[in-house]
Amino acid sequence: MKKLLLCIVLLSLGGCLGMPQSVQPVSDFKLDNYLGKWYEVARLDHSFERGLSDVTAEYAMRPDGGVSVINRGYSAENKEWQQAEGKAYFVNSENEGYLKVSFFGPFYGSYVVFELEKQNYDYAFVSGPNTDYLWLLSRKPDVSPEIKAEFERLAKRYGFDVDELIYVEHN
């Protein structure tokens, strides 16, 4: 029974490296420009960030050529900061915004940058392996109404449930 459960878990996690059919990762991706601190402006709700405000993600190079990931957010309910450390690696090529990220040992999930402000990398639209995972990241805690509208327009067009978006508070 334990082996069967382990196989089911591994098979379900193995499927986490896909992406929604409608989403395509950006090309001409430059990791050096992407590194640094990002603010989470909006997201679809999921258990590992539920109830968090002031959410940020910080990306830095790892000695092995991968990317160090530190996600941080404040839980008002627990009155404490929560932090998760992970690692990410490119899935195909280094000039494509398609990475696999892990916060739990050998298990990886998709991180797909499908829209990116190309000049200064001021904002990014990011998907997970399916339409249940979606983020709007920015170099500042907020973005213009035009960027929010474009994010919602594209997300809806690509099959994400924009009515369920959470806009993150930053204090």
Side-chain angles (χ1 to χ4, degrees):
M1 185 66 170
K2 283 184 181 179
K3 287 183 181 179
L4 177 61
L5 184 58
L6 178 62
C7 286
I8 291 170
V9 169
L10 290 176
L11 285 173
S12 68
L13 289 171
C16 293
L17 283 186
M19 67 184 81
Q21 274 189 304
S22 56
V23 169
Q24 292 298 313
V26 297
S27 57
D28 197 26
F29 183 81
K30 294 176 178 59
L31 180 59
D32 286 344
N33 295 350
Y34 200 81
L35 297 176
K37 186 174 188 173
W38 290 85
Y39 293 87
E40 185 179 274
V41 175
R43 69 170 179 262
L44 287 177
D45 192 28
H46 45 80
S47 62
F48 48 94
E49 284 188 283
R50 187 161 292 137
L52 296 182
S53 64
D54 299 290
V55 179
T56 59
E58 194 143 353
Y59 305 105
M61 289 302 300
R62 290 172 48 93
D64 66 0
V67 179
S68 165
V69 181
I70 299 175
N71 288 346
R72 191 168 193 256
Y74 185 74
S75 169
E77 180 180 330
N78 299 329
K79 295 181 177 34
E80 67 181 10
W81 287 94
Q82 295 180 3
Q83 182 169 299
E85 296 184 32
K87 56 189 174 183
Y89 300 92
F90 286 98
V91 174
N92 295 323
S93 71
E94 291 184 8
N95 66 346
E96 182 180 56
Y98 181 26
L99 295 94
K100 59 182 184 175
V101 64
S102 174
F103 292 95
F104 310 106
F107 305 110
Y108 286 86
S110 292
Y111 183 97
V112 184
V113 180
F114 65 90
E115 182 73 21
L116 182 62
E117 190 280 319
K118 296 281 187 176
Q119 188 173 356
N120 299 312
Y121 282 39
D122 287 335
Y123 64 85
F125 304 170
V126 180
S127 168
N130 57 47
T131 56
D132 293 334
Y133 299 92
L134 177 68
W135 296 270
L136 167 52
L137 304 178
S138 173
R139 295 297 187 170
K140 300 178 293 183
D142 199 10
V143 296
S144 71
E146 293 81 15
I147 293 171
K148 286 180 184 177
E150 179 66 3
F151 174 67
E152 290 183 16
R153 186 189 69 74
L154 276 181
K156 185 174 183 173
R157 180 172 141 205
Y158 294 160
F160 295 92
D161 186 356
V162 297
D163 294 332
E164 295 298 318
L165 281 172
I166 296 169
Y167 281 88
V168 180
E169 291 184 32
H170 288 275
N171 299 312

